[in-house]
Amino acid sequence: MSTSQDHAPLTRGGRFALYGLMGWALEVVFTAAVDSCQRRADSRLRGHSYVWMHPIYGAGGLLCEQLGRALARRGAPWWQRGLAYAGACFAVEYTSGWALRRAVGACPWDYGAARANVHGLIRLDYAPLWAACGLAAEPLARVIERVRLTPSLGDGERPRLA
């Protein structure tokens, strides 16, 4: 059986991987719901994402984690934190979309047909969604901070929250 000294918090790489997976899952659910509401869906609710999105969501999650800590130390109200999260998400989305266009010739998403787009890379009308995602991720980040890993689990042991 392991002792409390054996427990280690998730590394930055572990949190990056976890945020990437959570972003992927959220995007698949979001695209299925949007397609369903726009009468393009079938009853299977197929969502979609791109392999490129995992590192983008991972990096964005780490950025927002640090941003949330800094804003919490300052005692920022929810609406200021929401604006900051939306701005951070726009920065990550625009920068990564621009970099992908430069590196591989195309960005996986194209918001060019949306009225409130910037270079087809971000949609300004998504600001409330990004703010809500950032605020909803705050309690998730606190849970992730409490996750502790053990070098190996014995019979009957499970990963625990500290």
Side-chain angles (χ1 to χ4, degrees), residues 10-49:
L10 284 175
T11 64
R12 184 178 305 253
R15 294 191 322 276
F16 174 89
L18 190 54
Y19 288 131
L21 290 172
M22 291 187 328
W24 255 345
L26 183 61
E27 183 172 25
V28 169
V29 170
F30 178 78
T31 57
V34 167
D35 286 352
S36 178
C37 291
Q38 294 177 345
R39 291 175 262 161
R40 288 186 287 200
D42 57 39
S43 60
R44 293 175 287 185
L45 288 175
R46 282 196 263 182
H48 63 275
S49 187

